[in-house]
Amino acid sequence: MWLKPEEVLLKNALKLWLMERSNDYFVLQRRRGYGEEGGGGLTGLLVGTLDSVLDSTAKVAPFRILHQTPDSQVYLSIACGANREEITKHWDWLEQNIMKTLSVFDSNEDITNFVQGKIRGLIAEEGKHSFAKEDDPEKFREALLKFEKSFGLPEQEKLVTYYSCSYWKGRVPCQGWLYLSTNFLSFYSFLLGSEIKLIISWDAVSKLEKTSNVILTESIHVCSQGEDYYFSMFLHTNQTYLLMEQLANYAVRRLFDKETFDNDPILDDPLQITKRGLENRAHSEQFIAFFRLPKEETLKEVHECFLWVPFSHFNTHGKMCISENYICFASQDGSLCSVIIPLREVLAADKTDDSSQSVIISIKGKTAFRFSEVKDSEQLIAKLRLKCGTASSQCDISTEVAITSDSTGPSDNFEVQSLTCQKECSKAVNTEALMTVFHPQNLETLNSKMLKEKMKEQSWNILFSECGRGVTMFRTRKTRHLVVRGIPETLRGELWMLFSGAVNDMATNPGYYAEVVEKSLGTCNLATEEIERDLRRSLPEHPAFQSDTGISALRRVLTAYAYRNPKIGYCQAMNILTSVLLLYAKEEEAFWLLVAVCERMLPDYFNRRIIGALVDQAVFEELIRDHLPQLTEHMTDMTFFSSVSLSWFLTLFISVLPIESAVNVVDCFFYDGIKAILQLGLAILDYNLDKLLTCKDDAEAVTALNRFFDNVTNKDSPLPSSVRQGSNESDEKSSHIKVDITDLIRESNEKYGNIRYEDIYSMRCQNRLYVIQTLEETTKQNVLRVVSQDVKLKLHELDELYVIFKKELFLSCYWCLSCPVLKHHDPSLPYLEQYQIDCQQFRMLYHLLSPWAHSANKDSLALWTFRLLDENSDCLINFKEFSSAIAYTEVKSKDSSKGDELSMEELLYFSQLHVSKATNEKESNSGKNSPEKGKGKIDIQAYLSQWQDELLKKEENIKDLPRMNQSQFIQFSKTLYNLFHEDPEEEALYQAIAIVTSLLLRMEEVGRKLHSPTSSAKAVPGIVCASGGPNERKTESHLEKNSSSLREEPQWSFAFEQILASLLNEPAVVRFFEKPIDLKVKLENAKTSQLRSRTKM
């Protein structure tokens, strides 16, 4: 490899390098200890250790070329090589292309400048074809070289970054280098002759966390396939951990969680992943989640500055974050003050005349925001003016759709109404919240609760006058305080839209809901059937959902969302959430609120595996361990909390709390996100701590919690008694203490409000790995349980075989941009069908595991075996089919009861390899008739008949096999010859096959003579038909029959009983097939060589 010319002081280097060649201008050197007998003794060991610890290029490139100038001790390193051939190639190139030119220069300085320019040109040329980009520093090029030489991974494996660290092997730290690439975590160390090399695939990582103890102040713990690895002594531990977390989550999403990965095109190409890109992505995700922005936004710039807060009359210090369509500000403590300014609202961006580097942003509604002490303020203003120019032209119309009290009028909904009135018997989309229709507030009968409600409204109006109203309002501690008290009924829909960010989605997509409703109505699929079934179960006690108005609105919203996002479609709990949204928000607003919840605020909650909910439950368990340790000690099994809290997370407590109390929880959720639900969950457990500690089992604990929920009230709720679900007057005499929801929420904020959103984000990422690996482990156990009933292998052998099977599947996806295998992976399918391999992957595994993989026609054997296993002709086989093939070909040990009897199952399987071609047509026809999953409605009758056919297949015996014709028998014989090659009994086996062949031919000849010429001629068509032979009769030259004579004479064929009987008479053949094969050794060898075999490809 050519190196960027750097100065080397040769005087000190002579102790470590030995000169091999030299001329007037160049020197070729070899590292001491390399290539010497015995490794160069103690000196070689010390030099090797020094190279590893100091990250010297000489560890992987022990040859180098220096450019020398006469009368100088300073040389320039210009090339290095991993072996003698590579460095010799560079040396020869220099002698042929450079040496002659150098003689024409007059001064040494000109010579040096020429050599440097030439070498830099060569490096630039190399960079065009390398994954190391031209702007990468020289050290990264060297690290890439070491990475490739140390681990031998394919060139497509993209190195993202590398760090110096220590790997703890037991209690001994081993200093070395950690390499993070797209698919692997790799570590290399060489100390005093001891080499340590680790390669851990990201998809195998089940736990990744930062830990600390007495010995290790701060380390990173990696758990993979039950093994623990600890790495410490990082210069920037947090940065390293964040990057490892990003890479592990990327691999897990790409290979296991296709649903979320398909929605994320940014990381579609593994070769484009960079350290900077991953860091930027992590910051963007946190930025979007904190400010509730559309997920299409990416963080572009961050500026430290001060924002003038007019109602407090002071400047607050914080960060201004800018994306494509939004300017956001958050003060340093996060909760003190934050602002979101959509660029569609911006009228102008100006600077002040003073020297304060201030930026003034004017928005619609005669409001301005002043940001001071902004670095490069003039450049920022120019960018904002450019963005506002493009944004204003696109968003002039959409601005009027924003859900604020000033901008919403009857005209806004008229267009939506006119678009949808054509559908559903002229019923228009609801333009009012159901609560205002079914429970209008009567101002004449003001009771104490209504007065409190009016006081709440007045408090919010005072806040609006100070902080502004609508999407650009200031959000302060006072805002949170009012949310905790409960949002007034009349403002709930508006503020839910604002705090969730749904107001932005709706403003930028005018008319979208009406269009989706029009397209989705009348569709019939699984989602719509489930929706119809659950419509009457959604808040059935509420009058709004006892009428056609509420039911129709709920149907439209749920069907429209299922149409918008078919990957989620419809999941249970969505109906409960949507019905509450419709009570307080207009129909279109309820749709966008549902979008915000399902796609941003509760990601992956409402898919087939509810991964998001499981992740948040794991986070909840972690918080319980931290904040309620006495409860953790009392509960023997933490899964109790998961089973109890699942409905809390999925329905935001709506399913367990009375509706009048649950809406207060939803208020806090839209303001604080999942943090509010986690805090409330901790507060509930804390409130019931004494009762839970006295419970003897899970059932008693569940009863205690349910009793608590029944006694949660909302004393300030203005809802009429007919709607309220909480305890009424009859219950007031009960001995159970009533708990007010407002007090409970306030307590949760006071006790657990210090939980930061950044920590929740980190815990979510960390637990996502654990949850997905747990689901994968469940899949594996279910597959093994099913397969172990039919395949004659031990459970631990099947376990290891499954790991190898799945690893091969993933290896083929690592370096393929659009891997078809990933398209077949669907977690919703039955366990056996989730992972399937194609013919190429089966060939690789067959070479690793089959005892016949050494034969010359191993590829043909693999192909025939695959065709035999692929019964439905879809070019894919599952683990059960794969393991059955391995079980037939592997003989673990001799069974003394068998004696010398050849396994009939094995020969039956082996003979089918050669007759399977003849039955391909039948298989393909049966495959067409078999009922396919996912194509229309499932035909139960077809499945029953298919099941009956499979039962009949199990009773198949030797007599069911078709006769083997000439060409098939010739191929069968050739296959046996190839199998016996290099066997210790090779000669005896060849002789045995010759005897069997001649015996069978004689038997056929005798049989033919017994029949008269006329009768044998008549029998020919029947034989050919039975054998399923090809129309073109072909044979081999060693049978001494030419093609013309074959056409004239009838074809001969053999029944399998004849072949089996003949083979059983030959002890050498019986011994060959009964030879014991140690499957354990085979599996171990396959594990170690699996990655290496892929690398060789």
Side-chain angles (χ1 to χ4, degrees):
M1 183 178 81
W2 298 107
L3 299 175
K4 181 183 175 184
E6 286 186 356
E7 289 187 354
V8 173
L9 195 61
L10 197 61
K11 184 178 179 182
N12 295 332
L14 288 173
K15 297 173 185 175
L16 301 175
W17 294 88
L18 301 173
M19 192 176 296
E20 295 232 324
R21 292 191 197 179
S22 68
N23 56 37
D24 292 340
Y25 300 104
F26 300 102
V27 177
L28 191 155
Q29 295 180 329
R30 173 175 56 82
R31 192 70 163 174
R32 188 178 291 276
Y34 181 83
E36 296 177 20
E37 207 171 316
L42 183 60
T43 310
L45 271 179
L46 291 172
V47 171
T49 301
L50 193 67
D51 289 340
S52 182
V53 172
L54 298 178
D55 189 33
S56 170
T57 310
K59 177 62 193 166
V60 289
F63 295 94
R64 72 177 182 181
I65 297 174
L66 306 178
H67 167 58
Q68 63 176 341
T69 52
D71 306 323
S72 174
Q73 283 293 320
V74 178
Y75 285 53
L76 293 175
S77 64
I78 59 170
C80 67
N83 50 55
R84 198 177 296 277
E85 289 75 22
E86 184 183 358
I87 205 70
T88 304
K89 187 179 175 183
H90 288 338
W91 180 267
D92 293 341
W93 188 90
L94 289 170
E95 286 190 330
Q96 292 168 16
N97 297 281
I98 300 291
M99 286 292 293
K100 295 174 184 177
T101 312
L102 295 182
S103 58
V104 302
F105 290 100
D106 296 329
S107 67
N108 290 337
E109 189 178 346
D110 291 341
I111 291 172
T112 302
N113 290 337
F114 175 77
V115 171
Q116 285 182 328
K118 200 72 178 172
I119 298 303
R120 285 196 175 97
L122 290 170
I123 291 171
E125 190 63 31
E126 273 185 355
K128 292 178 183 177
H129 311 289
S130 172
F131 285 108
K133 304 298 180 188
E134 288 183 22
D135 59 350
D136 283 341
E138 187 65 22
K139 281 190 175 181
F140 191 83
R141 290 184 72 248
E142 292 179 14
L144 184 61
L145 172 73
K146 293 174 203 164
F147 174 68
E148 289 173 352
K149 299 293 180 186
S150 299
F151 303 103
L153 295 170
E155 289 181 3
Q156 299 95 320
E157 182 63 19
K158 173 77 183 291
L159 178 65
V160 177
T161 190
Y162 64 103
Y163 298 99
S164 171
C165 70
S166 290
Y167 161 62
W168 288 79
K169 193 174 182 182
R171 295 187 177 182
V172 181
C174 304
Q175 184 65 30
W177 290 87
L178 184 72
Y179 298 91
L180 305 181
S181 58
T182 48
N183 297 298
F184 299 98
L185 177 155
S186 311
F187 177 82
Y188 184 84
S189 173
F190 182 87
L191 290 170
L192 297 175
S194 174
E195 185 181 56
I196 297 173
K197 195 183 289 187
L198 292 176
I199 302 178
I200 303 168
S201 56
W202 291 118
D203 58 79
V205 174
S206 57
K207 197 171 189 179
L208 186 66
E209 61 180 354
K210 285 186 289 185
T211 59
S212 59
N213 54 39
V214 179
I215 302 172
L216 304 176
T217 52
E218 198 170 27
S219 64
I220 295 175
H221 171 215
V222 180
C223 182
S224 172
Q225 295 178 342
E227 296 287 332
D228 292 307
Y229 306 90
Y230 290 89
F231 302 94
S232 65
M233 306 291 287
F234 290 99
L235 192 61
H236 303 290
T237 306
N238 289 335
Q239 183 194 58
T240 309
Y241 176 76
L242 177 66
L243 201 60
M244 290 168 75
E245 195 175 63
Q246 289 277 308
L247 285 167
N249 271 293
Y250 161 73
V252 162
R253 286 188 179 191
R254 181 168 182 244
L255 299 173
F256 298 130
D257 194 11
K258 194 164 69 77
E259 288 174 294
T260 55
F261 186 83
D262 287 347
N263 296 328
D264 190 4
I266 300 169
L267 295 178
D268 198 29
D269 185 357
L271 303 181
Q272 301 304 318
I273 294 175
T274 61
K275 177 186 174 184
R276 187 179 300 171
L278 287 170
E279 288 174 347
N280 291 343
R281 176 182 169 77
H283 294 148
S284 286
E285 285 178 351
Q286 292 189 34
F287 162 71
I288 290 166
F290 184 82
F291 291 107
R292 311 281 159 72
L293 300 180
K295 58 184 179 181
E296 296 79 19
E297 296 296 310
T298 53
L299 182 61
K300 297 294 184 184
E301 297 179 56
V302 178
H303 299 272
E304 279 203 30
C305 63
F306 289 87
L307 172 64
W308 173 252
V309 184
F311 51 88
S312 300
H313 303 289
F314 74 96
N315 280 312
T316 179
H317 179 249
K319 291 182 178 178
M320 177 166 57
C321 306
I322 301 173
S323 67
E324 291 91 342
N325 299 298
Y326 296 88
I327 302 167
C328 304
F329 177 88
S331 58
Q332 281 190 321
D333 66 355
S335 61
L336 181 66
C337 179
S338 64
V339 172
I340 300 169
I341 309 170
L343 290 179
R344 65 178 183 270
E345 297 287 330
V346 175
L347 295 174
D350 301 295
K351 61 177 181 178
T352 54
D353 298 330
D354 55 20
S355 59
S356 62
Q357 290 188 313
S358 296
V359 177
I360 296 176
I361 297 173
S362 304
I363 63 167
K364 297 170 184 177
K366 298 180 181 179
T367 309
F369 295 89
R370 181 185 174 185
F371 299 91
S372 56
E373 295 189 31
V374 183
K375 287 184 179 179
D376 303 321
S377 56
E378 292 189 4
Q379 290 182 13
L380 178 61
I381 289 168
K383 288 178 186 175
L384 290 176
R385 283 174 177 169
L386 187 65
K387 283 190 174 189
C388 292
T390 55
S392 61
S393 62
Q394 293 171 358
C395 301
D396 282 344
I397 303 168
S398 62
T399 306
E400 298 304 318
V401 189
I403 307 304
T404 66
S405 60
D406 300 327
S407 62
T408 305
S411 61
D412 295 321
N413 294 297
F414 178 75
E415 184 184 356
V416 177
Q417 185 175 336
S418 63
L419 282 168
T420 54
C421 66
Q422 305 162 15
K423 289 283 177 180
E424 210 181 30
C425 306
S426 303
K427 288 180 183 177
V429 169
N430 289 348
T431 57
E432 288 184 297
L434 294 177
M435 195 62 81
T436 60
V437 176
F438 287 89
H439 306 293
Q441 291 187 5
N442 190 351
L443 300 176
E444 295 176 2
T445 58
L446 282 176
N447 54 26
S448 60
K449 291 182 178 179
M450 288 301 296
L451 284 172
K452 283 187 179 179
E453 189 75 3
K454 287 297 170 187
M455 288 170 65
K456 280 186 187 178
E457 285 182 32
Q458 189 61 31
S459 299
W460 277 97
N461 287 328
I462 293 169
L463 181 77
F464 291 148
S465 65
E466 291 178 354
C467 303
R469 188 168 187 171
V471 71
T472 57
M473 73 178 285
F474 283 88
R475 300 163 199 215
T476 62
R477 281 204 181 103
K478 190 175 179 182
T479 315
R480 173 179 272 112
H481 175 68
L482 290 178
V483 170
V484 168
R485 283 177 55 192
I487 297 174
E489 302 276 310
T490 54
L491 296 175
R492 194 159 262 146
E494 175 190 339
L495 292 175
W496 283 0
M497 288 291 287
L498 179 64
F499 296 144
S500 66
V503 62
N504 294 314
D505 294 323
M506 186 168 164
T508 52
N509 294 281
Y512 176 85
Y513 176 67
E515 183 184 337
V516 173
V517 167
E518 189 174 351
K519 289 179 179 176
S520 63
L521 283 177
T523 56
C524 185
N525 50 42
L526 187 61
T528 55
E529 288 175 11
E530 290 178 347
I531 289 168
E532 288 298 326
R533 187 183 62 214
D534 287 347
L535 284 175
R536 304 283 173 182
R537 303 175 188 173
S538 310
L539 298 185
E541 67 286 334
H542 199 285
F545 298 101
Q546 293 168 0
S547 71
D548 190 53
T549 306
I551 293 292
S552 298
L554 183 61
R555 179 187 292 114
R556 284 192 294 270
V557 172
L558 290 173
T559 308
Y561 186 78
Y563 183 86
R564 167 192 165 86
N565 193 342
K567 287 183 180 175
I568 291 178
Y570 169 77
C571 293
Q572 283 190 335
M574 285 172 70
N575 61 318
I576 297 171
L577 177 61
T578 308
S579 56
V580 172
L581 298 178
L582 281 165
L583 288 177
Y584 294 98
K586 300 171 187 176
E587 189 176 316
E588 185 177 6
E589 294 172 5
F591 171 79
W592 287 113
L593 283 168
L594 185 64
V595 169
V597 171
C598 294
E599 297 176 15
R600 283 203 313 275
M601 300 186 73
L602 297 178
D604 306 335
Y605 262 60
F606 301 99
N607 57 21
R608 294 183 182 97
R609 298 194 289 175
I610 57 169
I611 287 174
L614 296 175
V615 169
D616 282 342
Q617 283 183 301
V619 172
F620 186 51
E621 286 179 19
E622 202 171 323
L623 291 171
I624 293 170
R625 290 189 197 97
D626 293 341
H627 295 277
L628 299 169
Q630 62 272 50
L631 190 57
T632 310
E633 291 168 10
H634 176 71
M635 304 299 287
T636 53
D637 187 5
M638 289 294 284
T639 54
F640 162 76
F641 299 111
S642 299
S643 58
V644 168
S645 64
L646 182 61
S647 61
W648 304 357
F649 290 99
L650 282 172
T651 66
L652 308 178
F653 285 95
I654 296 169
S655 62
V656 292
L657 287 174
I659 183 67
E660 65 274 10
S661 301
V663 290
N664 283 35
V665 178
V666 179
D667 294 342
C668 297
F669 168 74
F670 279 126
Y671 190 82
D672 269 333
I674 193 63
K675 179 175 178 282
I677 305 299
L678 293 168
Q679 287 176 185
L680 184 60
L682 289 172
I684 289 167
L685 294 179
D686 188 26
Y687 191 93
N688 293 278
L689 185 61
D690 294 336
K691 292 178 184 175
L692 291 172
L693 290 176
T694 58
C695 291
K696 296 175 183 177
D697 54 32
D698 291 354
E700 197 176 338
V702 170
T703 305
L705 287 173
N706 287 339
R707 193 176 292 122
F708 167 79
F709 287 129
D710 291 339
N711 288 281
V712 174
T713 62
N714 186 353
K715 60 188 179 187
D716 297 333
S717 175
L719 290 180
S721 56
S722 60
V723 176
R724 299 179 65 170
Q725 300 172 341
S727 306
N728 292 323
E729 294 171 7
S730 59
D731 297 325
E732 286 176 6
K733 298 174 185 177
S734 169
S735 60
H736 297 293
I737 302 169
K738 306 296 178 199
V739 182
D740 188 67
I741 187 65
T742 309
D743 296 335
L744 194 62
I745 291 172
R746 187 183 294 113
E747 188 178 335
S748 74
N749 269 278
E750 289 170 0
K751 283 192 174 182
Y752 308 108
N754 59 346
I755 298 171
R756 299 187 314 144
Y757 186 81
E758 293 82 355
D759 297 332
I760 294 173
Y761 175 83
S762 179
M763 284 191 283
R764 270 180 161 180
C765 290
Q766 181 181 318
N767 283 288
R768 188 180 189 85
L769 292 173
Y770 168 75
V771 165
I772 291 182
Q773 293 291 4
T774 304
L775 290 172
E776 288 298 310
E777 182 64 24
T778 304
T779 299
K780 181 176 84 169
Q781 295 304 328
N782 281 290
V783 168
L784 297 184
R785 180 174 49 79
V786 172
V787 173
S788 61
Q789 297 172 6
D790 299 320
V791 177
K792 296 176 181 178
L793 290 177
K794 294 176 183 174
L795 199 59
H796 69 88
E797 291 170 341
L798 277 174
D799 194 313
E800 290 184 34
L801 194 61
Y802 182 85
V803 171
I804 294 169
F805 173 86
K806 192 169 157 186
K807 188 68 181 175
E808 185 60 38
L809 187 74
F810 288 165
L811 281 171
S812 60
C813 307
Y814 283 165
W815 305 290
C816 180
L817 301 186
S818 56
C819 181
V821 179
L822 288 178
K823 294 175 185 175
H824 298 305
H825 174 50
D826 185 354
S828 66
L829 291 174
Y831 292 119
L832 266 176
E833 305 302 321
Q834 286 185 22
Y835 292 110
Q836 300 183 85
I837 57 173
D838 59 22
C839 189
Q840 174 63 12
Q841 291 149 2
F842 178 79
R843 187 179 72 85
M844 296 292 294
L845 289 171
Y846 191 84
H847 292 177
L848 289 170
L849 295 166
S850 173
W852 306 327
H854 64 274
S855 68
N857 63 341
K858 58 184 178 183
D859 287 340
S860 299
L861 273 174
L863 176 62
W864 294 334
T865 307
F866 184 83
R867 283 178 177 171
L868 182 66
L869 297 171
D870 183 21
E871 292 185 0
N872 61 354
S873 303
D874 64 349
C875 298
L876 293 169
I877 61 169
N878 60 34
F879 178 70
K880 184 178 180 181
E881 294 161 337
F882 167 74
S883 57
S884 65
I886 300 301
Y888 280 138
T889 56
E890 300 286 359
V891 185
K892 294 180 286 300
S893 60
K894 280 190 180 181
D895 189 345
S896 57
S897 63
K898 278 186 178 180
D900 288 332
E901 185 183 349
L902 185 61
S903 167
M904 196 172 289
E905 277 185 334
E906 288 159 11
L907 268 177
L908 178 63
Y909 155 81
F910 192 62
S911 66
Q912 283 178 319
L913 299 181
H914 303 282
V915 297
S916 59
K917 287 184 182 179
T919 57
N920 269 350
E921 199 173 330
K922 291 179 185 176
E923 287 178 4
S924 62
N925 289 336
S926 65
K928 286 174 189 174
N929 296 330
S930 65
E932 293 288 336
K933 296 179 182 69
K935 296 181 181 177
K937 290 188 177 180
I938 296 170
D939 188 348
I940 302 298
Q941 291 298 327
Y943 268 108
L944 288 173
S945 62
Q946 186 179 349
W947 178 55
Q948 193 173 2
D949 292 342
E950 286 174 1
L951 288 176
L952 291 172
K953 275 183 189 176
K954 288 183 180 178
E955 298 171 7
E956 182 183 57
N957 56 36
I958 294 172
K959 292 180 180 178
D960 296 323
L961 287 173
R963 292 175 67 85
M964 194 177 282
N965 62 20
Q966 282 178 332
S967 60
Q968 290 167 345
F969 182 73
I970 291 165
Q971 184 62 57
F972 179 67
S973 303
K974 288 170 70 177
T975 302
L976 290 175
Y977 274 114
N978 285 322
L979 285 183
F980 301 152
H981 184 57
E982 295 183 0
D983 190 87
E985 292 189 86
E986 184 177 354
E987 194 173 336
L989 287 164
Y990 285 165
Q991 193 173 359
I993 293 302
I995 292 168
V996 169
T997 306
S998 60
L999 176 63
L1000 287 168
L1001 287 170
R1002 283 202 300 273
M1003 286 168 62
E1004 177 66 17
E1005 189 68 27
V1006 170
R1008 201 177 290 175
K1009 284 180 180 177
L1010 289 173
H1011 294 79
S1012 62
T1014 52
S1015 63
S1016 65
K1018 288 176 183 176
V1020 169
I1023 292 169
V1024 174
C1025 180
S1027 64
N1031 293 329
E1032 295 177 8
R1033 301 173 177 89
K1034 295 180 181 178
T1035 188
E1036 300 295 318
S1037 58
H1038 71 272
L1039 292 173
E1040 298 175 2
K1041 292 185 179 181
N1042 57 34
S1043 57
S1044 59
S1045 63
L1046 278 173
R1047 289 190 192 98
E1048 293 168 5
E1049 296 179 11
Q1051 276 201 1
W1052 39 263
S1053 61
F1054 304 114
F1056 182 69
E1057 298 100 309
Q1058 294 174 299
I1059 299 171
L1060 179 60
S1062 304
L1063 288 171
L1064 288 175
N1065 284 327
E1066 298 300 324
V1069 176
V1070 173
R1071 282 196 302 273
F1072 176 82
F1073 284 103
E1074 288 288 334
K1075 193 186 300 177
I1077 304 289
D1078 193 342
L1079 185 56
K1080 185 179 179 182
V1081 174
K1082 274 276 183 188
L1083 291 171
E1084 286 298 323
N1085 291 339
K1087 275 185 182 179
T1088 54
S1089 56
Q1090 195 171 16
L1091 181 59
R1092 205 180 313 127
S1093 64
R1094 180 67 62 174
T1095 304
K1096 284 177 183 175
M1097 280 185 63

